[in-house]
Amino acid sequence: MRAVNVLSYSFSAIKLRKFRSALTILGVAIGITAIVALLSVTQGLQATITDDLNQGLSANSLIVMPGSSGQGGDSGFSIGIGSSSDSSGFSLYNNYTSQIVSLSPNITGAVAVMQKFGYVESDSLNRSVTIYGVDYATYAEIYGTFVAESGTIPLNPKNDTVIIGSRVSDPRQNGTRFIVPGDEINLLWLNATSFPTVNENCTVQVSGVLDTVGGFGMGGPSDTGVYIPLSSAESFFGTDACDMIIVTLTNTDKATIDSVSSLIREHFENQVLVISADAVQSVVASIISTIELFLGGIAAISLLVAGVSIMNIMIVSLIERTREIGILKALGMKSRTVLLIFLGEAVIIGLIGSIIGIIGGWVLAHGVSWVLSSGLLTGNSGGFAIKPLLTPTVVFVALIFGIGVTVVFALYPAWSASKLKPVDALRHE
């Protein structure tokens, strides 16, 4: 019997039992939907984070922070906002930038960054922000995203001049601006170095609003940041210790990055962490891959449950079709053909269920993305935008996995059907 005829007979058997087949297909589709949705969202998340990291951490830059290699090594990148020293008491200071620049001709510049969690208060807005103290001119040279969408970024700013991120001006990102250049705002941060703690505050004037960055702002510009001149930050925060120093290099060669990183660590006697863009991205990719594998495994369990259901339904079908099989074998059908008929049904069910599941997973992934970006889960005015990715690899894996599971769980019923003796099958009632 030709393969086309076997598949045709299998498809006819499926159509004959529409409701039962539909439930079986639904079980496969649900499992594949879960797998495709989770993989699409996690891959989209990885792409989004990678893009944002590229915005916030240039490939030719390094981040120098207090901390020994024992705290995370070169690949560690846990940044404690508002903490300018590690557990050993070592601190970085703003004037260390000149020392770093003189270490190697491969270093083109360095800028100190001070940062604290704080709040912005105005007549129309009260929200949490990250307050950064930077040298505007040097910072703008390092980051091309530090540009004003409205207003200006003065190269020699007054002490009471600030630059704000786009989401500070327009929290909902819908064109409704609560703060514009020229407005006066009140900055506050909690000074926990004294007891009792004190809310430090100052009144400043907005000089410019940054264009939308979209990145995480790891060292680089942030949509939720407020930028004050470095000299003002020293006075406002009551210290000249910085949280990090951004170092720019002549190129992105690994040899250059490793050489400069080693020089910086040696200069500070291994009391600093030197973090590169590649190190951050590799760690993030590793974390997301682990999450992806974990979530994919959970989703696969639902497909395995569907596989057990497929086996059960095909065993029931085998019992119902015992006389039919006996007649076919009495007419000369080979055992191998009976086996292929049952496996053909499993392949068709797996294929249809997988296709429906891929489509459903893609729709579900976009639904999850919309919920996350809308901020419904967190109650915020804005969320975290993720664009799901449905790669050919995900489609191929979904098809193979969906069909494979149905075929594996259909093997025993198909084998049992092929081993039925014609006489015994014809006697079956």
Side-chain angles (χ1 to χ4, degrees):
M1 196 171 184
R2 292 186 300 175
V4 175
N5 294 333
V6 170
L7 289 175
S8 177
Y9 191 92
S10 299
F11 189 70
S12 299
I14 291 174
K15 289 196 299 182
L16 192 62
R17 300 163 182 83
K18 293 184 178 66
F19 184 70
R20 184 185 299 166
S21 299
L23 291 178
T24 309
I25 291 172
L26 180 62
V28 176
I30 291 174
I32 295 299
T33 295
I35 291 174
V36 170
L38 289 173
L39 292 180
S40 297
V41 170
T42 52
Q43 290 193 2
L45 174 64
Q46 182 169 351
T48 300
I49 291 177
T50 300
D51 289 343
D52 286 351
L53 285 174
N54 288 334
Q55 293 280 354
L57 184 58
S58 301
N60 68 328
S61 66
L62 301 172
I63 292 181
V64 182
M65 298 173 53
S68 63
S69 58
Q71 288 181 297
D74 298 338
S75 61
F77 63 97
S78 57
I79 295 180
I81 295 179
S83 174
S84 57
S85 64
D86 69 350
S87 58
S88 67
F90 175 80
S91 297
L92 284 174
Y93 293 93
N94 297 331
N95 59 3
Y96 284 0
T97 54
S98 57
Q99 297 180 27
I100 292 175
V101 171
S102 64
L103 291 177
S104 170
N106 288 319
I107 299 176
T108 59
V111 61
V113 179
M114 305 174 71
Q115 56 186 49
K116 303 284 185 184
F117 278 130
Y119 295 87
V120 163
E121 288 183 347
S122 70
D123 294 336
S124 56
L125 182 68
N126 186 345
R127 66 160 295 162
S128 60
V129 296
T130 304
I131 304 171
Y132 297 89
V134 296
D135 179 88
Y136 288 175
T138 309
Y139 198 68
E141 288 179 5
I142 293 177
Y143 292 105
T145 52
F146 191 68
V147 294
E149 187 269 335
S150 60
T152 59
I153 298 178
L155 297 182
N156 296 300
K158 299 178 181 178
N159 288 336
D160 63 347
T161 297
V162 300
I163 307 298
I164 63 174
S166 62
R167 292 186 75 92
V168 180
S169 171
D170 180 10
R172 299 185 178 90
Q173 297 288 276
N174 61 0
T176 303
R177 296 185 179 275
F178 291 89
I179 302 174
V180 296
D183 287 353
E184 286 192 346
I185 59 175
N186 196 30
L187 286 184
L188 300 94
W189 75 280
L190 182 64
N191 186 354
T193 59
S194 61
F195 185 82
T197 57
V198 179
N199 276 322
E200 305 285 355
N201 67 86
C202 67
T203 301
V204 293
Q205 186 174 51
V206 177
S207 176
V209 178
L210 295 179
D211 202 356
T212 300
V213 177
F216 285 110
M218 184 177 176
S222 167
D223 291 331
T224 57
V226 174
Y227 297 84
I228 61 178
L230 194 60
S231 58
S232 300
E234 291 178 354
S235 174
F236 188 36
F237 298 146
T239 179
D240 60 347
C242 62
D243 294 274
M244 67 182 74
I245 295 178
I246 311 297
V247 180
T248 54
L249 310 178
T250 54
N251 56 67
T252 59
D253 292 343
K254 187 177 185 302
T256 301
I257 293 174
D258 291 344
S259 173
V260 172
S261 298
S262 179
L263 286 173
I264 294 174
R265 285 194 299 270
E266 289 176 4
H267 179 75
F268 292 106
E269 299 179 345
N270 291 318
Q271 296 186 90
V272 295
L273 291 172
V274 183
I275 305 167
S276 66
D278 287 342
V280 174
Q281 291 181 5
S282 63
V283 172
V284 170
S286 177
I287 293 172
I288 294 181
S289 295
T290 302
I291 295 173
E292 185 177 24
L293 183 62
F294 176 72
L295 294 178
I298 293 176
I301 292 175
S302 64
L303 188 57
L304 294 178
V305 172
V308 175
S309 175
I310 291 169
M311 178 183 287
N312 182 52
I313 289 174
M314 294 200 73
I315 289 175
V316 172
S317 177
L318 167 62
I319 295 173
E320 291 179 349
R321 296 162 64 183
T322 300
R323 286 181 61 83
E324 175 190 341
I325 294 169
I327 293 172
L328 292 173
K329 299 192 79 173
L331 293 174
M333 180 174 284
K334 297 179 180 179
S335 297
R336 182 181 62 183
T337 305
V338 175
L339 175 69
L340 291 176
I341 287 173
F342 274 80
L343 292 181
E345 292 180 26
V347 170
I348 293 172
I349 288 172
L351 180 61
I352 296 174
S354 297
I355 293 174
I356 295 174
I358 291 170
I359 297 172
W362 185 233
V363 173
L364 179 61
H366 278 277
V368 171
S369 174
W370 179 83
V371 171
L372 293 175
S373 61
S374 65
L376 292 177
L377 295 179
T378 59
N380 296 330
S381 56
F384 183 62
I386 300 175
K387 184 178 180 180
L389 291 179
L390 184 61
T391 63
T393 302
V394 172
V395 174
F396 179 76
V397 169
L399 285 172
I400 295 300
F401 199 58
I403 295 173
V405 167
T406 55
V407 169
V408 167
F409 280 92
L411 278 174
Y412 174 72
W415 178 81
S416 299
S418 68
K419 293 302 180 182
L420 284 175
K421 295 180 180 180
V423 175
D424 295 335
L426 290 170
R427 287 176 180 174
H428 182 80
E429 294 184 1

